[in-house]
Amino acid sequence: MPPFLSLSHHTLTSPDGTVLCPDLTLAFGRERTGIVGQNGSGKSTLLALLAAGHPDVTGSGTVGRLEQSFDDRLAVTEALGVSEALGCIARIEAGVASAEDLNAADWTLQARVEAVLARFHLPPLHDRLIGDLSGGQRMRVGLARVTLEAPDILLLDEPTNNLDDEGRALVRDMIASWAGGVVVASHDRDLLERMDRIVELTPKGALVTGGGWSAYADARAARLARDQAALAVAERDVARTRREMAERAARAQRRARQGRALRASGSHGKMLMDKARERSQGTQARDARLDARLAEVVEQAQARAADRIVPARDLRIGMDVPDTHGVVLDARRLTETRGDFRLGPLDLSIRAGEHVALSGPNGSGKSTLITALMRLPVKGGAALLDQNMSLIRPEISILDALRNAHHGLSINDAYATLARFAFRNADAERVVGTLSGGERLRAGLAVVLGGSPPGLLILDEPTNHLDVEAVETLEMALADYAGALMVVSHDAAFLDAIRIDRVIRLAAGEITD
């Protein structure tokens, strides 16, 4: 029997009990499934549920999940999960093995470890610690570990974060060649394009679309158009029904006034007038019951149509334009040393309004170059927004973070500034540590750009940890941004969307073009 996992009528909830996705019924086999949804929609919760053997999950075969967080003090062999097995072989070769060692020895392991390290372009072990590796190398260690474990169904949560183009290609190749099933939670549209189906988690339930990202995006747009059209029809029906009710009520009131006038004139007999009044009152009561029932029907239809639409988040980003012209940055014979790594000497200039992409493999010196640039004089100043939003402390409010960065900003101006970034009223007082990835990005942009916008805005992997909706919002904001940008990103679709003018490529601390 082929391996599969099945989840039936399960409601995904957050730790505080908030319903994330109700009545979730899914089955996973050998296909490639992409999991998408807004930040906080339950993607990681679903993967954890599948990995943990929850009572609502049934199936056969082994399940493995990509490990992405390792203790810096671990040896790489420990992170790979092979430390004890390699130690067993070492003791046998040293002549100090126990009977248990002799029974447990896996003589193919050393060759398999070396092969998987080479496959993911990792250096030989040599007792290296996780703390010695870059973020991209740590992710590759996680990929190497699940490859050695070879589960029947593989669970991956944002596997391309922190990886360069080469690393992303390795992930794509691994998924394509995996013998079992793969479930991927990701915002990487290129990776999602290669899925067999897309599952979107929403507060209304799960929506399943066959095919990759393009098929899903087309289906999502078509579904939204249908739902909005149905809602518009329902709203028109409600408005028409209310008009008709008002017209009937007005006619009834006119008849009642005419009846009272006739009674007062005495031109008709009292018995005849009493009969007419009874008929009128009966008609009015029947019309009122029919109107109430009709109003209930059309309003219920409107509510059902509105309920099918997942409310869009207000993710608008309103960025001002820095008052700079000409060259904002001009670096000559720039050098920087970090440990054994040396950057430069190199020359680099950026003009006002220019959108520049900084690219290169992991370890090529991108972060070192950014550190050096932040110490240089820049016309209008420079601001750095990294993927962890380290410029805003998690324990303070967004409002306090903004005013700490711009001391001359009044409380009213601070609230007005945050409103431009969709943090209105009480939302401006939210604690940074409680924000989702997309909200934290908006908060970081508000803090960086909330006073006088800098002459140069540097963004380091800004789309990491963002859902697709937030990425699309950021793309729209940056595409029209008239200031100078330097962006580090391995997301080709993102770079294309924000209208990059020039690409600066680094390799081993040198600009290659």
Side-chain angles (χ1 to χ4, degrees):
M1 177 184 295
F4 74 94
L5 287 180
S6 178
L7 184 65
S8 180
H9 300 293
H10 180 86
T11 295
L12 284 182
T13 59
S14 64
D16 65 2
T18 301
V19 173
L20 303 176
C21 186
D23 196 26
L24 191 58
T25 298
L26 293 168
F28 302 92
R30 292 192 183 278
E31 72 282 334
R32 278 78 177 119
T33 300
I35 308 294
V36 302
Q38 297 178 353
N39 284 126
S41 62
K43 299 186 293 296
S44 295
T45 302
L46 173 59
L47 293 189
L49 189 78
L50 296 175
H54 189 278
D56 288 349
V57 178
T58 59
S60 63
T62 56
V63 179
R65 187 179 184 185
L66 173 65
E67 179 62 57
Q68 294 169 274
S69 179
F70 295 105
D71 189 321
D72 285 354
R73 297 167 294 181
L74 283 180
V76 172
T77 53
E78 293 176 300
L80 289 172
V82 297
S83 179
E84 179 55 37
L86 290 177
C88 172
I89 294 172
R91 289 190 293 274
I92 293 173
E93 291 176 340
V96 293
S98 65
E100 185 177 352
D101 288 334
L102 294 173
N103 291 328
D106 179 357
W107 293 102
T108 68
L109 180 62
Q110 184 70 48
R112 287 189 287 116
V113 169
E114 291 174 357
V116 80
L117 290 176
R119 176 179 177 181
F120 290 104
H121 301 181
L122 286 165
L125 297 176
H126 299 312
D127 298 324
R128 297 187 68 179
L129 298 179
I130 287 293
D132 297 332
L133 305 181
S134 68
Q137 288 175 322
R138 295 179 192 211
M139 178 65 82
R140 294 180 192 215
V141 168
L143 294 169
R145 175 168 181 150
V146 294
T147 300
L148 287 168
E149 292 171 346
D152 295 312
I153 294 183
L154 176 61
L155 310 178
L156 304 173
D157 194 352
E158 298 291 0
T160 56
N161 275 2
N162 301 314
L163 291 181
D164 55 19
D165 294 340
E166 179 186 70
R168 288 174 177 237
L170 290 171
V171 172
R172 294 194 296 268
D173 291 344
M174 183 184 79
I175 291 174
S177 62
W178 197 262
V182 183
V183 184
V184 185
S186 179
H187 69 267
D188 184 336
R189 288 161 289 185
D190 184 50
L191 184 63
L192 292 170
E193 189 66 71
R194 301 158 192 273
M195 297 296 108
D196 298 315
R197 62 173 180 165
I198 303 291
V199 176
E200 180 185 5
L201 303 182
T202 82
K204 309 294 184 183
L207 302 171
V208 182
T209 304
W213 172 258
S214 295
Y216 159 74
D218 290 344
R220 179 184 60 172
R223 183 174 63 246
L224 180 59
R226 288 195 304 270
D227 290 345
Q228 288 176 333
L231 179 58
V233 169
E235 288 174 340
R236 288 197 296 270
D237 288 345
V238 169
R240 185 184 66 250
T241 299
R242 288 174 178 168
R243 284 196 306 272
E244 293 171 350
M245 290 169 59
E247 290 169 359
R248 282 193 291 272
R251 288 196 296 268
Q253 288 175 355
R254 287 196 297 271
R255 288 194 299 269
R257 284 196 300 271
Q258 292 169 354
R260 288 193 297 270
L262 284 172
R263 179 181 289 275
S265 71
S267 61
H268 290 68
K270 181 178 183 302
M271 184 177 296
L272 181 62
M273 293 302 300
D274 287 345
K275 273 291 188 186
R277 182 171 64 180
E278 288 176 7
R279 285 196 302 272
S280 176
Q281 289 174 341
T283 299
Q284 290 179 33
R286 184 177 65 254
D287 286 348
R289 289 193 298 272
L290 289 173
D291 281 349
R293 177 58 183 155
L294 182 59
E296 180 183 5
V297 169
V298 295
E299 287 170 1
Q300 287 177 348
Q302 180 193 27
R304 286 193 299 271
D307 189 60
R308 286 196 293 270
I309 299 176
V310 178
R313 296 171 298 172
D314 189 351
L315 296 176
R316 287 174 290 172
I317 298 174
M319 299 197 293
D320 290 336
V321 179
D323 184 21
T324 53
H325 304 85
V327 175
V328 296
L329 171 72
D330 190 22
R332 299 296 169 187
R333 308 299 294 171
L334 177 65
T335 62
E336 183 80 6
T337 301
R338 178 177 290 180
D340 295 333
F341 180 81
R342 178 179 172 82
L343 175 77
L346 53 82
D347 297 335
L348 173 64
S349 65
I350 298 175
R351 298 183 62 83
E354 189 176 22
H355 290 192
V356 176
L358 179 60
S359 76
N362 292 132
S364 62
K366 298 186 297 294
S367 297
T368 304
L369 175 57
I370 289 173
T371 300
L373 294 180
M374 290 300 295
R375 293 199 297 266
L376 295 180
V378 174
K379 185 188 294 186
L384 169 63
L385 201 63
D386 63 26
Q387 59 186 287
N388 298 314
M389 306 300 150
S390 54
L391 81 166
I392 48 178
R393 302 203 313 273
E395 71 275 9
I396 65 175
S397 70
I398 309 169
L399 184 68
D400 288 340
L402 175 61
R403 299 192 74 199
N404 288 348
H406 306 282
H407 298 293
L409 205 61
S410 71
I411 188 72
N412 288 336
D413 286 343
Y415 274 106
T417 295
L418 291 175
R420 290 195 294 110
F421 290 83
F423 293 110
R424 294 177 176 81
N425 303 318
D427 281 345
E429 300 163 13
R430 292 177 61 189
V431 175
V432 170
T434 66
L435 304 178
S436 69
E439 290 169 334
R440 189 172 293 213
L441 172 74
R442 276 192 289 131
L445 286 170
V447 170
V448 167
L449 303 172
S452 298
L456 174 63
L457 175 60
I458 302 175
L459 302 172
D460 187 3
E461 296 288 4
T463 60
N464 276 5
H465 315 299
L466 296 187
D467 60 46
V468 172
E469 185 180 359
V471 171
E472 291 172 340
T473 302
L474 181 61
E475 287 173 348
M476 288 187 288
L478 294 181
D480 296 329
Y481 182 58
L485 287 176
M486 174 179 279
V487 182
V488 178
S489 177
H490 297 289
D491 186 337
F494 173 73
L495 292 175
D496 183 59
I498 66 173
R499 301 175 185 171
I500 289 297
D501 300 307
R502 178 162 57 104
V503 178
I504 298 172
R505 293 182 172 84
L506 282 180
E510 300 288 342
I511 294 178
T512 60
D513 59 351

